[in-house]
Amino acid sequence: MEKYSKRIIIVHWLTLAMLVAAWFLGDSLDDARHGDGATIAGYMVHILVGGAVLLLTLLRIVFRRADGAPPPLGDTLLDKVATGVHHLLYLLLIVLPLSGLMQVLTSDVGKALMAGDASLLPKKFTGVPAHAVHEILVNVLIVVGTLHVLGAFKHQFVTKDNIMARMLLRDKK
Ligand code: HEM
Ligand code: HEM
């Protein structure tokens, strides 16, 4: 079975790990803010992990251009939908972190980070559209990501065409 290149496979799974971490860190920031426990370090860690998702995605696009990718397994409508879902995932993996950056730049988070002073962190994000956009995009990513995982499971357990082997470093014997 033709596979993705090693570096693309590594970046795919590393992105998943970073995404899960960014999601939990983002949610805990929101909880901390409502409970008066928000810290500069908390924001910095979320921004670094979320920023890593953006960098990994840009790197992955470069790797994909250089290494190529295995062709779609078939030419059915579902195969076309799967390719569309992949494109949408790439778009979300770029736009979601950028909306986070916009949120920092257009709210008091930016000021608080520059001054290193947690008391300047905003209690609310009223009048900061990027905050709502960031939250909506997280939910869109969860829905589109779930579709992608369901598709992979369908291939693996219903169609049984061993598609997972394309995205795994080691071949199952
Ligand atoms: C793909 C990566 C990212 C994911 C999955 C993610 C996820 C989240 C989640 C789940 C929240 C909580 C939303 C809510 O319930 O209000 C959040 C909030 C936030 N995120 Fe991200 N984020 C990512 C990237 C970034 C980046 C790169 C930045 C900044 C450069 C950023 C800045 C923020 C800020 C400032 C908040 C508001 C926290 C608060 O409510 O006080 N995020 N993010
Ligand atoms: C348990 C979770 C996941 C599983 C089992 C999984 C599985 C797979 C598999 C088997 C492929 C190869 C599909 C093919 O050859 O046609 C693939 C490709 C891909 N995956 Fe995932 N994936 C998971 C999570 C994610 C997540 C969270 C994202 C991004 C948010 C993602 C983004 C992508 C993209 C963009 C491709 C297309 C690669 C390309 O052709 O450029 N995956 N995934």
Side-chain angles (χ1 to χ4, degrees), residues 95-96 99 128-138:
V95 181
L96 170 61
S99 69
V128 182
H131 179 71
V133 171
H134 194 61
E135 204 176 339
I136 291 167
L137 289 178
V138 170

Side-chain angles (χ1 to χ4, degrees), residues 10 13 21-22 26 31 37 43 49-50 65 67-68 77 81 102 121 134 142 155 171:
I10 291 169
W13 296 113
D31 290 346
Y43 277 84
V49 175
R65 285 188 158 231
D67 305 347
L77 180 64
V81 170
M102 278 309 289
L121 286 169
H134 194 61
I142 291 170
H155 275 284
D171 289 320

